[in-house]
Amino acid sequence: MLDRVGLERRDGRNLLVAVGIMTLLFFVFLDGTAVERAAAAAVGGLVSGVAFVAVTLVINAYKPDHW
């Protein structure tokens, strides 16, 4: 499925790592109850994932073929 949008297998793994780290950081550093922090962390992780995919697609589009 990742091949259809121009992502490689390692890009998917990197996406999961980046989203996981960002979600954890949001959860730890935000103020509020645990439920509020979890909801905000989920939204922040989702936004981080979308940004990661967008940047990765642009990089892959302009990456030379011999790399």
Side-chain angles (χ1 to χ4, degrees):
M1 184 174 116
L2 295 175
D3 295 335
R4 291 186 213 165
V5 293
L7 295 175
E8 299 171 4
R9 183 171 177 84
R10 69 174 185 250
D11 294 331
R13 183 194 65 228
N14 293 342
L15 170 65
L16 290 177
V17 170
V19 168
I21 290 171
M22 290 305 296
T23 302
L24 180 64
L25 288 174
F26 278 120
F27 184 79
V28 169
F29 290 112
L30 290 174
D31 289 333
T33 66
V35 173
E36 292 169 341
R37 291 186 331 194
V43 171
L46 181 64
V47 170
S48 297
V50 170
F52 181 90
V53 168
V55 170
T56 303
L57 290 174
V58 170
I59 289 171
N60 287 346
Y62 292 102
K63 180 173 57 172
D65 291 335
H66 64 276
W67 278 22

